[in-house]
Amino acid sequence: MSSATAPAADSRAPRAGLFKRLITHPLGGVSIVFLSIIVVVAIVGPFLAPFDPSQTDLKMIFAPPGGDYLLGGDSAGRDILSRLLVATGFSLAGGLLVAAVGTVIGVSAGLVAGYYGGWIDTLGSWFTALTMSIPSIIVLIAARSVMGPSMWWTMTIFGIFISPVYYRVVYNSVRAVRNELYVDAARTSGLGDGRIIGRHVLMAVRAPVILLTSGTIAAGIGMQAGFDFLGLGDPNTPTWGQMLNEGFYNINRAGQLVLWPALALGLTMIFLTLLGTALRDELEGTSDVRRTKGQIAWALEASAPEIVRHEDAAEPDAVLTVTDLAVAYPAGDGWATVVKGASLEVRRGETHGLIGESGSGKTQTAFAVLGLLPKGGKVMAGSIVFDGEDLTGVSDASMNTFRGSRIAYVPQEPMSNLDPAFTVGVQLTEPLRKVLGMSKEQAHERAMSLLDKVGIPDPKRVFRSYPHQLSGGMAQRVLIAGAVASHPTLLIADEPTTALDVTVQAEVLDLLRDLQAELGMAVLIVTHNFGVVADICDRVSVMRQGVIVETGPTQSVFDDPRHQYTQSLFEAIPTGAPRAPLPGAASTGTLGRETLS
Ligand SMILES: Nc1ncnc2c1ncn2[C@@H]1O[C@H](COP(=O)(O)OP(=O)(O)OP(=O)(O)O)[C@@H](O)[C@H]1O
């Protein structure tokens, strides 16, 4: 056995710029190429057009493709190709105008209303509600009869109707960040509101606004085409919608009249939507997961420390096998890896301690198993096999079939994990009814017997009590009762005694031991207290800086810690404390509650 101390790689792989990432994204690349061609055509189309798009030639009415008119002639003898080239510019400009008006009004109003609140907020909400309640098409038709058939006015008004969408997105994002500590810090450091909004707040809304804009351009082009198709547009401005309108009138005589504008319109809208999908992937980081997963896995493999494994007489029957797990969070332009290739095995029916100093990644490992990583956290590499199923590829919806039934969880802070608005009875019976499908009476009966089982002296009273009427120890017993209600195969308890006082800690540990023995479940107990491990764990894994460095039966690891880090942990225990009270010896807290940090 060897011990290794090399830390695993920290993968702060720098991310390329947004455009570079988009162009290498499969959907993004092809969309950018197509849309670039459309933009080029829109700009140079009028110069490339072989004829004036309005020039009529009676001889060329419904002329077939070929000859002077490459794509044929329309019902007035105009060149379809020339009209298509010029129409591309107008159609695109219409979509861009909608997005520009929507962005300018919606983003600025959302920023100001979200940041300042008060009457500006009220005015913004009122305007949003008003514009959303009026059908835009009616206003557009009314405006047309007042101002005449101008594409520019039509698109400007449509942009105003789109602006509440931007307003809401920006407003909600600003509300979410305005009380962040870094915004407070900017304020206290003397930065003015304009600078804070422009620098800190605008950054937070940048991604959703960019995302929204590709959809808005598509919606604008579609709206304009629909308006022209209905014959409500400006007949002197060639657009795809105008061409479609004319084509549909003459579809039986010359089908190509519909074909070209329909292709241009359909493909542009499809590629704008695909670009939106690619943008979402890149801005929200989902694509980075795909792209960097391999890189991180490779980096971890290259530097993975060897785990010190103690010989084990028992036949391994793993209920949970975590292999080379890597968990990372976006950090700046890269990823900060907080679990760096951890491997862990919890066997059926055993109590397994996961011990390590504060910040070593114990909770992140537990959350990864539960599929409950905080926002931004991603499993970048490795596998989590529970009862034969790999949980890393499982959807959120499917994870719900594991959580609360086959995998249960007991948190660190009992009080903050009970909803103060509901009685214990409601909180215990609701999952029994929803997850296990029990009737109201069955759930009530089961909850009472669970409260009794976890040693609550007066279950009836506690059932009717609100969390604030319970002590910390009682609240933790209630949470344990809820966790074991479904007879889980695996119970994950994250520092279940840390928030409790010493005497209550001992009782809760005794309770966990008794329940484990009675229900035969496996228990993974996350702790930084060797006393807890000594008291109830059959086996232990020692975690350091995101990796497991030593694992084995508790007795063996306590008797003969081989990894330098495990040895240093034992050395950190104050002298005078007995070294290793072994599992089964009810000696909670023998080693105190040392925080190994
Ligand atoms: N939401 C988050 N975003 C970014 N980094 C995080 C997040 N949550 C945790 N971390 C980082 O992950 C690392 C491991 O945290 P974790 O909570 O797993 O530690 P731990 O071993 O359970 O320690 P403790 O006993 O203090 O909870 C820490 O460096 C922490 O800063």
Side-chain angles (χ1 to χ4, degrees):
M1 305 278 173
S2 70
S3 66
T5 51
D10 186 8
S11 63
R12 280 175 183 265
R15 291 198 289 180
L18 179 62
F19 181 76
K20 209 167 167 192
R21 285 184 281 141
L22 264 183
I23 201 89
T24 54
H25 186 288
L27 293 180
V30 70
S31 307
I32 287 179
V33 169
F34 180 86
L35 294 171
S36 304
I37 293 172
I38 290 289
V39 170
V40 170
V41 170
I43 295 168
V44 300
F47 306 106
L48 293 181
F51 296 94
D52 181 332
S54 312
Q55 179 189 310
T56 58
D57 183 345
L58 297 183
K59 292 194 300 299
M60 299 304 275
I61 290 176
F62 296 127
D68 280 352
Y69 286 4
L70 220 57
L71 298 181
D74 68 6
S75 62
R78 296 170 295 194
D79 177 29
I80 295 177
L81 175 63
S82 301
R83 285 181 72 71
L84 197 64
L85 288 171
V86 176
T88 303
F90 282 115
S91 296
L92 203 62
L96 289 172
L97 181 58
V98 171
V101 172
T103 311
V104 169
I105 298 178
V107 172
S108 45
L111 278 174
V112 174
Y115 188 76
Y116 290 107
W119 67 268
I120 306 177
D121 185 354
T122 313
L123 193 70
S125 308
W126 179 83
F127 175 74
T128 308
L130 182 77
T131 41
M132 288 184 118
S133 61
I134 300 174
S136 55
I137 190 80
I138 306 280
V139 178
L140 289 175
I141 292 170
R144 182 189 186 275
S145 56
V146 175
M147 293 185 280
S150 159
M151 184 194 88
W152 307 112
W153 274 117
T154 307
M155 293 295 99
T156 304
I157 295 170
F158 187 53
I160 296 173
F161 275 92
I162 285 275
S163 64
V165 181
Y166 281 94
Y167 174 86
R168 290 221 162 151
V169 168
V170 172
Y171 175 85
N172 289 332
S173 305
V174 174
R175 298 297 288 187
V177 299
R178 73 191 276 253
N179 293 323
E180 288 285 347
L181 290 179
Y182 63 84
V183 174
D184 284 345
R187 229 178 259 137
T188 50
S189 70
L191 287 186
D193 286 347
R195 181 121 182 109
I196 294 175
I197 293 178
R199 190 167 171 77
H200 297 286
V201 181
L202 202 56
M203 283 303 281
V205 302
R206 193 185 51 150
V209 168
I210 294 175
L211 275 181
L212 208 55
T213 300
S214 71
T216 306
I217 296 173
I221 293 175
M223 180 68 177
Q224 186 213 49
F227 210 64
D228 283 349
F229 181 71
L230 293 174
L232 299 169
D234 179 356
N236 298 319
T237 311
T239 63
W240 293 334
Q242 286 276 347
M243 295 181 74
L244 274 177
N245 171 301
E246 209 226 326
F248 263 85
Y249 273 120
N250 301 293
I251 195 160
N252 292 328
R253 293 193 64 178
Q256 77 270 16
L257 289 184
V258 173
L259 176 70
W260 299 113
L263 263 182
L265 180 65
L267 288 176
T268 303
M269 291 188 63
I270 288 172
F271 281 112
L272 276 169
T273 310
L274 293 181
L275 182 67
T277 309
L279 271 167
R280 193 207 52 220
D281 281 359
E282 295 300 338
L283 290 169
E284 291 178 358
T286 48
S287 173
D288 271 305
V289 176
R290 274 203 305 273
R291 193 165 303 150
T292 53
K293 249 184 174 176
Q295 294 168 2
I296 287 189
W298 182 86
L300 294 176
E301 205 178 304
S303 60
E306 207 172 313
I307 303 177
V308 177
R309 293 180 196 279
H310 288 245
E311 299 298 332
D312 199 345
E315 196 57 37
D317 174 16
V319 70
L320 174 73
T321 309
V322 176
T323 310
D324 298 333
L325 178 73
V327 173
Y329 287 86
D333 276 346
W335 291 86
T337 314
V338 297
V339 176
K340 304 171 181 176
S343 297
L344 174 75
E345 185 185 82
V346 181
R347 297 177 185 174
R348 209 170 290 278
E350 78 169 1
T351 300
H352 193 108
L354 179 56
I355 193 165
E357 67 191 16
S358 190
S360 55
K362 307 179 296 292
T363 300
Q364 295 300 309
T365 305
F367 280 167
V369 173
L370 288 158
L372 288 178
L373 285 172
K375 194 168 179 291
K378 306 259 184 248
V379 171
M380 304 294 272
S383 65
I384 300 169
V385 178
F386 169 71
D387 235 356
E389 284 179 76
D390 190 348
L391 301 184
T392 45
V394 165
S395 68
D396 273 358
S398 311
M399 256 331 271
N400 285 336
T401 61
F402 289 94
R403 277 193 302 256
S405 51
R406 293 166 64 194
I407 305 179
Y409 175 62
V410 175
Q412 190 174 127
E413 296 280 347
M415 276 309 182
S416 44
N417 280 276
L418 286 169
D419 188 333
F422 295 95
T423 61
V424 165
V426 170
Q427 297 186 57
L428 272 183
T429 52
E430 200 180 16
L432 292 173
R433 294 175 64 193
K434 293 273 178 316
V435 180
L436 302 182
M438 291 185 181
S439 69
K440 196 173 172 192
E441 292 70 33
Q442 284 171 328
H444 180 270
E445 200 179 312
R446 182 69 177 278
M448 295 300 279
S449 87
L450 282 166
L451 289 175
D452 188 43
K453 192 193 275 286
V454 297
I456 296 230
D458 186 356
K460 272 193 191 149
R461 184 187 67 78
V462 170
F463 188 90
R464 287 193 306 271
S465 301
Y466 284 89
H468 71 269
Q469 296 170 305
L470 307 180
S471 66
M474 289 245 256
Q476 192 60 296
R477 283 173 191 269
V478 167
L479 286 169
I480 292 173
V484 300
S486 59
H487 286 195
T489 314
L490 172 68
L491 175 78
I492 297 179
D494 187 358
E495 313 256 10
T497 56
T498 303
L500 309 174
D501 67 51
V502 178
T503 49
V504 183
Q505 282 179 30
E507 290 169 16
V508 168
L509 287 179
D510 283 344
L511 172 64
L512 280 175
R513 185 184 15 242
D514 293 346
L515 287 171
Q516 191 273 329
E518 186 184 333
L519 303 174
M521 61 191 173
V523 176
L524 175 63
I525 189 157
V526 173
T527 183
H528 49 232
N529 187 333
F530 267 122
V532 171
V533 175
D535 197 4
I536 67 167
C537 295
D538 303 302
R539 292 194 316 125
V540 61
S541 294
V542 182
M543 191 161 199
R544 178 193 182 225
Q545 292 180 359
V547 286
I548 303 294
V549 293
E550 183 157 6
T551 188
T554 305
Q555 178 151 14
S556 176
V557 174
F558 273 50
D559 282 350
D560 178 22
R562 293 179 209 149
H563 194 283
Q564 204 183 357
Y565 176 67
T566 318
Q567 288 165 2
S568 68
L569 289 183
F570 279 119
E571 277 156 21
I573 296 168
T575 47
R579 162 76 173 276
L582 292 172
S587 51
T588 307
T590 314
L591 299 183
R593 295 183 56 226
E594 302 81 10
T595 304
L596 302 167
S597 52

